[in-house]
Amino acid sequence: MLGRLTYDSLPFYSIIAFGGAAITVGAGLAVIGLITWFRLWGWLWKNYLTTLDHKRIGIMYIVVALVMLVRGFIDALMMRGQQMASASGHGFLEGDHFQQVFSAHGTIMIFFMATPFMAGLVNFVLPLQLGARDVAFPFMNALSFWLTAGAAGLVLISLVIGVFSTAGWVGYPPYSGVERNPGVGVDYWVWALFISGFATTMTGINFVVTILKHRAPGMAYMRMPIFVWTVLCSSLIILIAFPALTVAVALLGLDRLFLTHFFTADHGGNLMNFTNLFWMWGHPEVYLLVLPAFGVFSEVVATFSGKKIYGYSAMVKATVIIMFVSMLVWLHHFFTMGASATVNAVFGIATMIIGVPTGLKIFNWMFTMYRGRVRFHVSMYWTLGFMVLFVIGGATGVMHAIVPVDYNTHNTAFLVAHFHNMLVPGVLFGYVAGYMYWFPKAFGFTLNQKWGIRAFWGWAIGFTLAFMPLYALGLMGLPRRTANIYDPSFLPLLIVAFIGALCVLFGIVALLVQLYVSVRDRAQNRDLTGDPWDGRSLEWSIPSPPPAFNFARIPIVDQLDAFAEAKRAGRKLQYEPAGPVDLPVPTIVPMVMGVSAFLLGFAAIWYMWWLFVLSFLVMLGAMIGRSFVDHNEFRVPQREVEAGLRTAAGRAGGVQ
Amino acid sequence: MREIRRGPVVGTILVATSGCSRASMPMLNPEGYVGRSEFELLVITTAIMALVLVPVIIGTLWIAWRYRSSAGRADYDPDFTDSKLISGVTIFVPLITIAALGTMTWIYTHRLDPYRPLGTTERPYEIQAVSLDYKWLFIYPEAGIATVNQLVAPSGQPVTIRLTSDPMMTSIFIPGLISQIYAMPGMETRANFLAENPEQRDGANAMYSGPGFENQRFVTHILAPEDFAAWTKGAAEGKSLEGAEAAKVEERLDMAYYKKLVVRSDGDPITYFKSVSPDLFQDIVRLYMPQYHMSSLPTGAEYMGAN
């Protein structure tokens, strides 16, 4: 009945494992309790759990991302603490706990923090910037979200029931093979990635079709905001790259479950091919995360400099070049696997070529500020912090592309410092800048600036202190993933890195305080104009929060930054005539399928085959049943749409 | 603040020029052709990158501050979005930098190809390395001996290490002497070096292969040629290396004993085997890849001719 799930799978074997489980369960119960206490279930059910509205789905994605950010950061803090403590003794993490922690940290931050954060921002912003009423496939959009949430749930439940993988976030065989790791840990990792891989692929399809088919009339490709361009390129990367990962983990799953030999060392398997497939996804993944962040920076810099973006067409071309080249560099993750010098050199040089369009983007952001009027809104802090810190990571990236240098820095703390240098200032700063920039659009009030700036300094100083020492430790030869430090001369730099992590902790706390303070003071910080930053793109032309149908009348775009140009010329945007609007009917089906996917994964991990079959049938039934629903849209009558034109929030329901 | 942000660049240059202690910064105190060339490359590329980086960082902050809205400058121009001069600079500066670094990459990647034997006509001295959970086995086929967790090699002579692993994917790394290359089950990879002077260095498995992988470390002793010859003779009689930790001595390493050695263990003592069965390395690879055949090692000239 319970497969291989026994009493021993519960976390009563060590204090730290129990603590982690208690925090997870406690936080879950606390949330449920609070929702019940404030009698929010009905509201939650109606407005979020069953919604197909892209704005609310976007918000739910970001909530998941922030929860997972906290979880992933606790892991980071434990790693820093363990390495520091181990310099004098054995540290406090016993058994393979440290290995579980770094595997979970990487998996969570990439798949369940960065990717959902990106999907959330894009979901919220993209249709608004396009002048569209929703994404192309609202049902599939909700399904993507619920599958992502189900996969994230698997990672969280691994803290309470069983263990997580110890194979790192990359899960290379033969270590992740069933011979070396027969337990449930790697299976948790495999199933979480497999399910979220499907979800992200569907998200990519949705964004591409939305951009191709749902632009406002007149919005030619070269009139799309840079953010839309970056999302288009990022989504195309998703379509090409994500199947490689989904297939790779599926084959690894087959190796583990049915003892096939895709990636084993013997019987004709090829373990190098897993590495190959993983990075065919893994490198484009970095770019699909960072491109939308570049898009955010482009919007923020242009808005807060009061100027059009410098070199729009060069920015577009740079984005497209990055998209193409990003798919031709994956081998640089394993220069040391023994390919010939020519192969390595070709991939090394291809990697460096990305530095040219990226460098160009940095310059174009600089010259967008040039002869502008730069307002130091908190989003500008994150943007400037990004520009200063990211170029350092870019430089160490180019160093890694020089093959013989990589031979020395590969697998060391230097590498860890490099990719955090790209992902923290590049990706995370970008998403946070976007979160603070678009928050008033979503909720109708602005975020507290003071706490936002404090959060920025916590992150910027914390990042610097936490990762610059790792560059030096890498040059001292410290391999990444080392649980117990064998050389006391590493200690001083590890202490500095730990202090850095504490500064980041302050940054995270400041983000949460900012949210609390802003909600508390929302009455004073109402955005009644819909355009608090003197914005440039279409989302600022509608009320904050937008009505469910976004645009009561669809705007007609005649140039880049049409809204900003109309404001400057003192005229109004042109619109199509108003009419009734069809909106998707809320439905419980995506959530049912997400919960079933969670149960399906859980059943496969614990060999509960009856549950596996049952949840599979539920998913299948839900999908087939849904296809028989003909009336999945309801019509908002014209007078209500027009009422939405007159009142700020719109009667058909703004985001509360 | 600005100094700290440029940490890696400044730090690398400082460390490179001040000469840190060898123990703490082995990569920056290289020995032999490979280590030295790689160090040289690190310094040149860091310098090129700093040339671009420092102006960009200062420029960004300076422009943002100079054009702050509170300064109310009169040259505000919301339509300034294109300038041939600026666009030229912004495309050519990255392009020239990358062209320079790309050229260096091509040259140095071929020069420092880990498969390339050093020297020209001289036949390299062969050592076979097997990465085990969590220890290193080194076989010296010419002398017919083997060691665990201690690598001894001659100076002044090209050395080729044949690498394989059983059963995990790992990465050999002796910072400052040889850079990383993976050791994988069922496969043979190679590392080459030519050390000029006798010395001692730490080696490791740099790649995570399970909890405890960081204990998969070994000591490398580079000996003068005559001392090395004396050591191989002595080791065949069970004599430990002078000045090093005394080794545990075993008689013969054959497949039967290997099956015991391969069992996962941690913190194994330095062990000497007085004799080794001749094709053991090949047999270990064949456990995974039955069709594997060990080819003879090329000299530098032969390798360059074949490639």
Side-chain angles (χ1 to χ4, degrees):
Chain A
M1 192 67 181
L2 288 178
R4 51 175 165 167
L5 181 56
T6 62
Y7 178 77
D8 294 335
S9 314
L10 297 175
F12 298 123
Y13 47 85
S14 92
I15 291 176
I16 288 179
F18 181 75
I23 290 172
T24 308
V25 173
L29 290 176
V31 169
I32 291 173
L34 284 174
I35 293 172
T36 313
W37 179 260
F38 289 110
R39 298 165 188 271
L40 289 173
W41 283 111
W43 170 83
L44 200 63
W45 178 266
K46 186 164 151 280
N47 289 306
Y48 285 91
L49 301 182
T50 60
T51 187
L52 296 188
D53 181 332
H54 70 95
K55 299 180 286 298
R56 289 173 180 169
I57 292 173
I59 290 163
M60 287 195 289
Y61 263 122
I62 292 173
V63 169
V64 169
L66 292 177
V67 169
M68 296 310 268
L69 172 71
V70 171
R71 163 73 213 274
F73 179 73
I74 293 172
D75 290 338
L77 214 51
M78 285 168 81
M79 286 189 280
R80 286 278 127 264
Q82 161 70 19
Q83 284 198 330
M84 190 175 70
S86 72
S88 55
H90 251 298
F92 55 91
L93 293 178
E94 288 163 3
D96 60 6
H97 208 103
F98 179 80
Q99 288 75 12
Q100 284 187 54
V101 167
F102 69 64
S103 304
H105 172 77
T107 307
I108 285 173
M109 288 305 202
I110 292 287
F111 294 96
F112 301 108
M113 192 285 288
T115 310
F117 210 147
M118 186 271 283
L121 275 182
V122 175
N123 244 304
F124 183 83
V125 177
L126 180 71
L128 299 183
Q129 284 203 334
L130 289 175
R133 290 203 162 115
D134 207 321
V135 291
F137 308 112
F139 177 81
M140 189 164 83
N141 194 28
L143 181 57
S144 298
F145 167 74
W146 283 106
L147 289 181
T148 305
L154 280 180
V155 176
L156 287 182
I157 201 85
S158 76
L159 256 186
V160 183
I161 304 173
V163 291
F164 194 66
S165 171
T166 58
W169 78 280
V170 296
Y172 283 178
Y175 181 75
S176 60
V178 69
E179 271 185 48
R180 179 69 173 83
N181 267 302
V184 295
V186 179
D187 290 319
Y188 266 119
W189 178 81
V190 163
W191 281 94
L193 262 57
F194 186 65
I195 295 169
S196 81
F198 268 99
T200 310
T201 308
M202 290 193 291
T203 302
I205 295 171
N206 227 331
F207 292 163
V208 170
V209 179
T210 306
I211 295 169
L212 296 187
K213 306 296 283 186
H214 289 245
R215 279 167 290 140
M219 188 183 274
Y221 288 113
M222 292 308 275
R223 290 176 186 167
M224 298 193 307
I226 293 285
F227 181 74
V228 175
W229 265 108
T230 58
V231 171
L232 177 63
C233 291
S234 163
S235 306
L236 289 170
I237 296 176
I238 289 179
L239 292 190
I240 295 172
F242 253 90
L245 174 76
T246 311
V247 167
V249 294
L251 296 182
L252 184 66
L254 290 177
D255 275 5
R256 293 179 56 79
L257 207 49
F258 298 112
L259 308 180
T260 52
H261 291 279
F262 289 104
F263 303 128
T264 57
D266 51 3
H267 299 289
N270 191 336
L271 55 94
M272 295 189 291
N273 203 23
F274 180 86
T275 310
N276 194 42
L277 288 171
F278 185 87
W279 289 112
M280 274 172 97
W281 159 82
H283 196 82
E285 160 77 10
V286 181
Y287 286 89
L288 76 89
L289 291 178
V290 85
L291 281 178
F294 286 175
V296 172
F297 294 130
S298 302
E299 302 297 316
V300 167
V301 167
T303 298
F304 291 108
S305 301
K307 272 181 69 190
K308 267 198 167 70
I309 191 87
Y310 178 90
Y312 172 84
S313 103
M315 287 299 257
V316 171
K317 286 171 198 152
T319 307
V320 175
I321 292 172
I322 291 176
M323 171 184 80
F324 278 111
V325 184
S326 77
M327 292 186 255
L328 303 171
V329 300
W330 77 94
L331 189 130
H332 70 213
H333 292 270
F334 45 95
F335 281 146
T336 49
M337 202 142 84
S340 75
T342 303
V343 169
N344 279 350
V346 166
F347 275 89
I349 293 168
T351 305
M352 291 176 176
I353 287 173
I354 293 191
V356 179
T358 311
L360 180 109
K361 275 175 177 266
I362 300 267
F363 281 123
N364 281 7
W365 290 317
M366 271 169 76
F367 287 103
T368 302
M369 295 187 288
Y370 177 70
R371 301 189 67 176
R373 283 195 182 138
V374 181
R375 287 171 286 151
F376 286 93
H377 176 260
V378 59
S379 291
M380 250 343 244
Y381 279 76
W382 293 95
T383 305
L384 290 171
F386 149 77
M387 287 170 73
V388 168
L389 293 172
F390 186 77
V391 289
I392 296 170
T396 56
V398 171
M399 287 167 78
H400 274 117
I402 300 163
V403 181
V405 174
D406 176 83
Y407 289 158
N408 286 292
T409 51
H410 183 61
N411 271 331
T412 66
F414 192 90
L415 178 74
V416 175
H418 161 68
F419 68 73
H420 282 89
N421 207 160
M422 304 316 268
L423 290 170
V424 177
V427 173
L428 194 78
F429 281 23
Y431 296 169
V432 175
Y435 157 80
M436 295 186 178
Y437 181 62
W438 281 302
F439 187 91
K441 183 48 63 188
F443 295 98
F445 57 91
T446 54
L447 282 171
N448 182 295
Q449 288 270 325
K450 205 165 63 183
W451 278 101
I453 290 169
R454 284 177 189 159
F456 166 75
W457 286 114
W459 274 93
I461 295 170
F463 165 80
T464 307
L465 291 178
F467 290 103
M468 295 308 158
L470 289 198
Y471 279 120
L473 285 167
L475 291 176
M476 290 162 78
L478 174 66
R480 68 191 289 200
R481 299 176 176 151
T482 300
N484 291 299
I485 298 305
Y486 48 83
D487 185 341
S489 68
F490 295 149
L491 183 61
L493 287 171
L494 287 170
I495 292 174
V496 176
F498 184 77
I499 293 170
L502 291 179
C503 293
V504 174
L505 175 66
F506 170 78
I508 291 180
V509 171
L511 280 178
L512 299 176
V513 172
Q514 181 198 34
L515 191 59
Y516 169 75
V517 170
S518 308
V519 172
R520 190 192 62 195
D521 301 343
R522 63 189 177 280
Q524 293 102 290
N525 299 319
R526 285 258 178 251
D527 164 36
L528 299 171
T529 60
D531 184 17
W533 321 128
D534 191 13
R536 312 190 63 77
S537 37
L538 294 176
E539 75 270 32
W540 303 113
S541 71
I542 53 174
S544 308
F549 41 80
N550 296 352
F551 294 87
R553 295 177 302 171
I554 298 293
I556 297 170
V557 173
D558 54 355
Q559 58 184 314
L560 176 67
D561 290 352
F563 178 58
E565 294 302 324
K567 278 192 287 184
R568 184 148 72 122
R571 59 183 167 78
K572 294 247 180 259
L573 272 174
Q574 300 287 303
Y575 291 98
E576 290 190 326
V581 176
D582 289 330
L583 289 176
V585 179
T587 167
I588 189 187
V589 176
M591 190 173 75
V592 168
M593 290 179 75
V595 172
S596 307
F598 168 81
L599 290 175
L600 178 118
F602 190 77
I605 291 159
W606 291 99
Y607 299 166
M608 297 179 202
W609 301 117
W610 63 270
L611 182 61
F612 183 87
V613 173
L614 187 69
S615 37
F616 182 76
L617 289 177
V618 170
M619 282 178 92
L620 198 67
M623 204 153 65
I624 294 172
R626 169 76 188 175
S627 68
F628 283 102
V629 178
D630 290 330
H631 302 288
N632 49 21
E633 287 187 338
F634 69 97
R635 176 153 289 201
V636 183
Q638 183 165 351
R639 58 189 159 72
E640 270 191 48
V641 174
E642 281 169 355
L645 265 183
R646 287 191 299 273
T647 67
R651 268 188 47 215
V655 176
Q656 294 301 311
Chain B
M1 208 38 226
R2 233 176 261 164
E3 268 71 23
I4 299 172
R5 284 177 180 165
R6 288 203 301 273
V9 177
V10 176
T12 311
I13 294 169
L14 280 183
V15 170
T17 47
S18 68
C20 231
S21 80
R22 172 165 294 189
S24 69
M25 284 268 178
M27 247 178 269
L28 307 181
N29 294 278
E31 164 65 33
Y33 179 76
V34 173
R36 253 204 326 271
S37 304
E38 287 173 355
F39 172 66
E40 170 188 307
L41 191 59
L42 186 72
V43 173
I44 297 171
T45 52
T46 307
I48 293 177
M49 229 94 66
L51 274 180
V52 183
L53 274 194
V54 177
V56 167
I57 292 174
I58 295 172
T60 301
L61 297 174
W62 181 70
I63 290 180
W65 182 246
R66 188 176 161 87
Y67 292 95
R68 68 194 185 277
S69 66
S70 58
R73 291 177 61 92
D75 58 353
Y76 171 62
D77 181 2
D79 290 318
F80 179 82
T81 56
D82 193 21
S83 145
K84 288 229 155 46
L85 179 70
I86 292 175
S87 302
V89 171
T90 55
I91 196 82
F92 278 106
V93 167
L95 208 58
I96 291 168
T97 317
I98 296 304
L101 292 170
T103 311
M104 288 186 62
T105 301
W106 184 266
I107 295 169
Y108 275 87
T109 305
H110 284 86
R111 191 184 287 173
L112 295 168
D113 179 3
Y115 287 97
R116 195 189 123 204
L118 298 160
T120 48
T121 53
E122 199 180 351
R123 186 72 49 195
Y125 185 82
E126 176 174 347
I127 297 172
Q128 299 161 345
V130 186
S131 165
L132 306 172
D133 279 355
Y134 299 109
K135 53 206 165 268
W136 287 92
L137 168 65
F138 298 101
I139 303 169
Y140 306 77
E142 200 175 295
I145 55 170
T147 58
V148 170
N149 285 346
Q150 185 185 60
L151 172 64
V152 187
S155 66
Q157 184 181 353
V159 177
T160 299
I161 306 181
R162 282 186 205 269
L163 283 153
T164 193
S165 174
D166 186 3
M168 285 300 130
M169 188 198 245
T170 59
S171 182
I172 195 170
F173 191 24
I174 311 175
L177 182 65
I178 59 165
S179 50
Q180 288 178 63
I181 183 135
Y182 288 176
M184 293 173 284
M187 276 167 272
E188 181 199 324
T189 47
R190 286 179 200 164
N192 284 279
F193 66 90
L194 200 170
E196 275 135 28
N197 303 303
E199 58 155 353
Q200 188 181 323
R201 268 178 193 274
D202 287 333
N205 162 25
M207 185 159 182
Y208 175 71
S209 58
F213 88 103
E214 64 258 36
N215 301 329
Q216 195 183 335
R217 305 174 61 76
F218 59 93
V219 187
T220 309
H221 299 270
I222 305 294
L223 303 181
E226 58 278 8
D227 293 339
F228 180 73
W231 173 76
T232 54
K233 249 188 228 117
E237 291 155 10
K239 232 173 84 193
S240 300
L241 179 67
E242 240 173 85
E245 197 185 316
K248 185 179 146 204
V249 180
E250 297 287 345
E251 287 303 319
R252 185 169 174 81
L253 180 63
D254 51 13
M255 211 19 134
Y257 195 103
Y258 174 78
K259 295 278 183 200
K260 282 191 270 174
L261 193 63
V262 81
V263 176
R264 189 159 65 237
S265 62
D266 201 334
D268 287 50
I270 293 170
T271 309
Y272 283 12
F273 292 94
K274 290 181 182 170
S275 69
V276 183
S277 57
D279 289 326
L280 186 65
F281 183 83
Q282 177 169 292
D283 294 340
I284 293 169
V285 181
R286 281 184 179 173
L287 291 174
Y288 295 94
M289 194 67 73
Q291 62 272 41
Y292 167 78
H293 181 78
M294 192 159 78
S295 55
S296 60
L297 286 180
T299 65
E302 284 164 1
Y303 182 82
M304 295 312 276
N307 280 269

